[in-house]
Amino acid sequence: MEYDNEASTEVQTVPSDVPRTPNTELRKLLSFKLYKRRWFVLLVLCLLNCSNATIWLTFAPVADQSAQFLKVSLEKINWLSLIYMVVAIPFSLGTTWMLDSVGLRSTLILGAWLNMFGALLRFFGTPAEGGYEIKYHFAILGQTLGALAQPFIIFTPTKLAALWFPDHQRATANMIASMSNPLGILLANIISPMVVKTSAQIPDLLLKNKAYLILLVCFGSGIAVFTCFSTLLEQILCVQGYTNDFAGICGALFIVFGIVGAAALGLYIDKTKNFIEATKINMSFTALSCIAFSVVSLIPNQKAAVAAVCSLFGFFGFSIYPVSMELSVECSYPVGEATSAGLIFVSGQVQSVLYIVILQLLTTRLTEAPLSTCGDAILSWKVPMLVMAGLCSFFTCCFLIFFNTRYRRLEAEEQATYRNKPCDVWTTNHVEHDPSVET
C-alpha cells in the first residue's frame, strides 16, 4: 500500500518478500499514525458544508421580500436556488475525478475559495439603496460560485473519513460532516424568516431576548448531552463487559421512560401552566441522573443500577423537551413558533457535534480490559463521562439561576379573551372609569 501525503494516516509498505497471509495477520503488519488535527479538518469541512447549504437557500424562505428588495419577479428569485442544480449536476463527475486524482486537499481548498467569493459577491453587491439590476446580477453570480463550490464540499465527507480517521471513527466522522449540510438548510429556513420581516430588512439581524438566549444555550446543551448519550452508549458500556443487547435494552428504557415522563409532565403543564418551575425541577433531576450514569457506567456487573439510571435519565430528560419548546414560544412571543422552537433545535445540533468531538478527543486507549466486549478498539470513557456530567450540571445551574420570563403568549391570549368577552353596562362603565384596569 502506498503513502498518501495528504492523509493523516501513514501506511507502511509491506515488503515484497513477506508471504501472503489472512486478513487478520495482514492487519498486524500495517501501522497507522493518527494526527489530532484531523478533528480540526473535520470542523473546517462541517463549516464549509453548513455555510454552502445556507447560501443555497437563503432567499427561498423569504422569496416575496427578496423579490421586493431586488425589484425582480418571483421566477428570478427561484433561479437563485435552482442555479445550484443547474451548475452542480454537470460538475459532479468532474468533482469525483478531482477527488480521486488531484486529492482531497486541493479539492477542499478550491471549494472553500469558491464558497467565500460567492458569499462576498452577494454581500457587497447588495447596497441598501438603488442599483436593483446590479443587485440581482451580483446575487446570481454569487449563487453560481456557491453552486460551483457545492460538489467540491458535499462529496468529501467519505473521502476525508477514509484518509484521516481510523476504522473505529470513520462512521462518526462521516456522520458529523454529512449532517452539517442539512443543518445549513435548516438554518436558512429558520434564520431567514426571522431576520427578514419586510423587504427593507434583507441586510439586518436582530437577537435581543435575554431569557430566550439563556434557554437557547442551556437547553441546547441538554439536547447535546442526550445526543451524546444515545450515540456513545454502546461504546461506553462495552468496556465494562456489557453486551450490545444490554446496551440496546438500556437505550430502549431511556426512550420508553422518556415518553412516559413527557406524557405525564405534558398533562401537568396543561393544567397548571407552570412551565418554568417544571423545567427547572426536571433539569435538576436530569443533571443528577447524568452524574449517576457517569459513575455507574464505569462499574462492571451492575446491570440493574445501569438500567435504572438510564430509565431515570430518560424519564426526567425527555420530559423537558416539549415543555422547553413551549417555553421558548412563551418567552419569545410574538416571534413565530417555528422560529422559536427551530433555533433551539439548531442550538442542540451544533452543540451535539461539538460535544461528540470533544468527548472522543478525551478518550484514551486501554492496554488491558479483561471484561471488554468492544472488539479491537478499547477506549477509556472515564474522563469523557465526567466532563459530560460537568457540562450538564454547569448549564443546569446557569438555567436555574439566570432564567426567568413572562408568559408572553398566555398574557396576549388572556388580554384578547378579556377584550372580546361580552360584558354588561356596569362592566363597561367600570372599565372605562377605573384607571387601574389595563386596557
Side-chain angles (χ1 to χ4, degrees):
M1 300 176 67
E2 61 183 10
Y3 172 76
D4 187 332
N5 60 2
E6 65 179 6
S8 69
T9 55
E10 292 177 358
V11 186
Q12 295 182 351
T13 304
V14 181
S16 58
D17 58 343
V18 175
R20 294 180 178 271
T21 58
N23 290 338
T24 54
E25 295 297 322
L26 181 60
R27 289 174 184 168
K28 296 179 182 179
L29 300 176
L30 305 177
S31 62
F32 297 87
K33 182 179 180 181
L34 299 175
Y35 293 97
K36 291 183 179 180
R37 66 175 181 268
R38 68 188 185 276
W39 296 106
F40 174 76
V41 176
L42 178 63
L43 176 61
V44 170
L45 176 57
C46 288
L47 292 175
L48 281 174
N49 215 343
C50 184
S51 63
N52 185 260
T54 305
I55 290 172
W56 171 28
L57 288 180
T58 302
F59 300 96
V62 286
D64 292 333
Q65 293 90 340
S66 298
Q68 294 173 23
F69 179 73
L70 296 173
K71 302 297 182 183
V72 295
S73 65
L74 283 174
E75 288 75 12
K76 286 191 174 182
I77 294 298
N78 290 337
W79 270 104
L80 293 173
S81 300
L82 290 174
I83 195 69
Y84 261 65
M85 290 73 169
V86 174
V87 173
I89 292 173
F91 274 84
S92 297
L93 293 177
T95 302
T96 56
W97 171 86
M98 191 171 180
L99 273 170
D100 292 332
S101 302
V102 180
L104 175 66
R105 183 174 181 271
S106 300
T107 304
L108 210 52
I109 289 175
L110 178 58
W113 278 101
L114 289 170
N115 199 55
M116 183 190 71
F117 279 122
L120 289 176
L121 276 174
R122 296 194 327 164
F123 178 75
F124 290 113
T126 54
E129 297 293 337
Y132 297 110
E133 191 69 15
I134 296 175
K135 286 182 182 182
Y136 181 76
H137 288 156
F138 269 97
I140 198 72
L141 183 57
Q143 291 294 102
T144 302
L145 292 180
L148 287 171
Q150 187 186 48
F152 293 123
I153 296 171
I154 63 172
F155 288 3
T156 52
T158 52
K159 189 77 170 179
L160 184 140
L163 292 178
W164 283 85
F165 289 84
D167 55 357
H168 65 280
Q169 292 179 345
R170 284 173 189 157
T172 301
N174 195 359
M175 177 272 296
I176 293 172
S178 299
M179 290 306 295
S180 59
N181 186 267
L183 177 61
I185 297 173
L186 183 63
L187 283 172
N189 279 280
I190 292 173
I191 294 179
S192 289
M194 182 188 72
V195 173
V196 183
K197 299 301 181 184
T198 66
S199 60
Q201 293 178 304
I202 290 288
D204 299 334
L205 177 65
L206 306 167
L207 266 173
K208 298 180 180 178
N209 190 322
K210 180 182 175 182
Y212 181 77
L213 290 177
I214 294 172
L215 183 65
L216 184 79
V217 175
C218 295
F219 183 64
S221 175
I223 294 176
V225 168
F226 271 63
T227 302
C228 291
F229 177 86
S230 302
T231 304
L232 304 173
L233 180 61
E234 185 274 333
Q235 300 175 48
I236 296 167
L237 294 180
C238 71
V239 180
Q240 302 302 330
Y242 298 109
T243 64
N244 290 351
D245 290 338
F246 178 71
I249 292 172
C250 289
L253 290 172
F254 176 72
I255 295 172
V256 170
F257 275 85
I259 294 172
V260 173
L265 190 61
L267 293 173
Y268 171 78
I269 292 296
D270 281 338
K271 292 182 178 180
T272 64
K273 307 300 181 186
N274 293 329
F275 293 97
I276 296 176
E277 295 83 353
T279 304
K280 288 186 174 182
I281 291 172
N282 274 41
M283 283 189 74
S284 300
F285 281 112
T286 300
L288 292 174
S289 300
C290 187
I291 294 171
F293 177 77
S294 69
V295 175
V296 299
S297 64
L298 303 176
I299 305 174
N301 303 318
Q302 296 293 327
K303 287 187 175 182
V306 173
V309 169
C310 290
S311 301
L312 291 174
F313 198 14
F315 182 84
F316 292 112
F318 260 105
S319 61
I320 302 174
Y321 186 85
V323 178
S324 295
M325 290 302 181
E326 288 296 309
L327 189 56
S328 71
V329 177
E330 293 294 339
C331 72
S332 63
Y333 186 85
V335 175
E337 292 84 355
T339 300
S340 303
L343 284 177
I344 299 287
F345 178 78
V346 170
S347 174
Q349 294 298 94
V350 172
Q351 292 186 67
S352 296
V353 173
L354 292 176
Y355 280 26
I356 290 176
V357 170
I358 291 171
L359 295 184
Q360 285 192 332
L361 286 174
L362 293 174
T363 59
T364 55
R365 282 191 174 273
L366 294 175
T367 55
E368 291 185 1
L371 299 176
S372 172
T373 59
C374 300
D376 295 333
I378 306 174
L379 303 174
S380 172
W381 289 93
K382 181 177 180 179
V383 173
M385 286 299 95
L386 295 176
V387 169
M388 185 176 79
L391 288 170
C392 185
S393 302
F394 173 76
F395 284 107
T396 297
C397 290
C398 290
F399 185 83
L400 293 176
I401 296 170
F402 298 111
F403 183 83
N404 193 31
T405 185
R406 293 161 40 208
Y407 299 153
R408 300 172 185 269
R409 183 176 61 175
L410 287 176
E411 290 176 0
E413 289 173 350
E414 288 176 2
Q415 290 179 7
T417 302
Y418 175 77
R419 288 173 180 174
N420 294 330
K421 184 178 180 181
C423 53
D424 55 27
V425 175
W426 180 88
T427 305
T428 302
N429 293 332
H430 180 73
V431 172
E432 290 175 350
H433 292 90
D434 188 351
S436 66
V437 178
E438 183 180 354
T439 58

